[in-house]
Amino acid sequence: MIKNKKLFLISIVLIVISMALNFPFPHENPLGDTATTILNTPIKSADGFYYAGVFILLLLVLGMVLLHRSLEKYHLRSFFAVIIIVSLLPPSLAEAYQKTLANGINAVSYIKDESQCMFVMIGVDTLQGTCELPFENYSNDEVSFTIGFYDRYLSEEDVKMLSLMNSGEPNNVKLLPNKAKVVRIEKEIDVSKIKNHVENGEAAYVSIIIHSGEKNRKL
């Protein structure tokens, strides 16, 4: 089956390195916010190309080419096997680590696809923001952290939305051991001095950063 062991080993090393460099932990996207991904590798954002992401993708492609050349048969099967492994294995490993070995905020899972925020003006200069953010603490200890919000791809002319929830008191959260919780954050925000801001709107897949001491995770 293997006609060139040296090429086979090099291909495996390159594929593993590309996966390690793009491992989705502790941040959702190790290379930053993305607008375009290929094989779970971020290569482009609203600001331009991620050269590190392009380099990782090239490593992966080179690894797949060398794997193809190192095998006598099963070329198509090996190609699809690599695609499946690269797509599914890193998230599964990250989840397994969180559930078994992680502690502190590293053991906190954020269910982003179930998050949402709503904004409505309740006065001439007052905006009310309400966010519901689902978390789960996989550790055996209570975990405390602070939540920060950010707007993706925000330029000077864009309307501020999620980042407005950082105003006022810090968004402090405590999660009990091995418990899931939907954190509800409500704020009345003075927008009289904010040039561009949302007046009425909703947001899903809410982008946040959680902080605890010197540690932070961008989720």
Side-chain angles (χ1 to χ4, degrees), residues 10 13 84 88 90 112 152 165:
I10 293 174
V13 169
I84 293 172
L88 301 181
K112 190 169 187 174
R152 289 176 179 264
M165 294 297 291

Side-chain angles (χ1 to χ4, degrees), residues 141-161:
D141 302 307
E142 182 179 89
V143 178
S144 300
F145 55 90
T146 301
I147 299 175
F149 295 81
Y150 68 98
D151 296 299
R152 289 176 179 264
Y153 321 126
L154 186 66
S155 67
E156 292 183 0
E157 297 180 354
D158 289 334
V159 175
K160 291 185 178 180
M161 181 181 283

Side-chain angles (χ1 to χ4, degrees), residues 118-152:
M118 297 184 65
F119 298 89
V120 60
M121 294 295 296
I122 58 173
V124 176
D125 295 319
T126 304
L127 176 70
Q128 179 175 288
T130 304
C131 293
E132 294 185 349
L133 311 172
F135 294 94
E136 186 165 0
N137 176 16
Y138 291 120
S139 75
N140 295 321
D141 302 307
E142 182 179 89
V143 178
S144 300
F145 55 90
T146 301
I147 299 175
F149 295 81
Y150 68 98
D151 296 299
R152 289 176 179 264

Side-chain angles (χ1 to χ4, degrees), residues 14 23 33 45 54-55 57 59 67 75 85 95 112 144 153 159 162 172 175 193 199 207-208 219:
L14 290 176
F23 193 67
D33 298 325
S45 74
V54 173
F55 173 72
L57 184 61
L59 283 182
L67 179 64
H75 298 117
I85 290 171
E95 182 180 0
K112 190 169 187 174
S144 300
Y153 321 126
V159 175
L162 295 176
N172 297 320
L175 298 180
K193 297 181 180 179
E199 293 188 355
S207 299
I208 64 171
L219 304 171

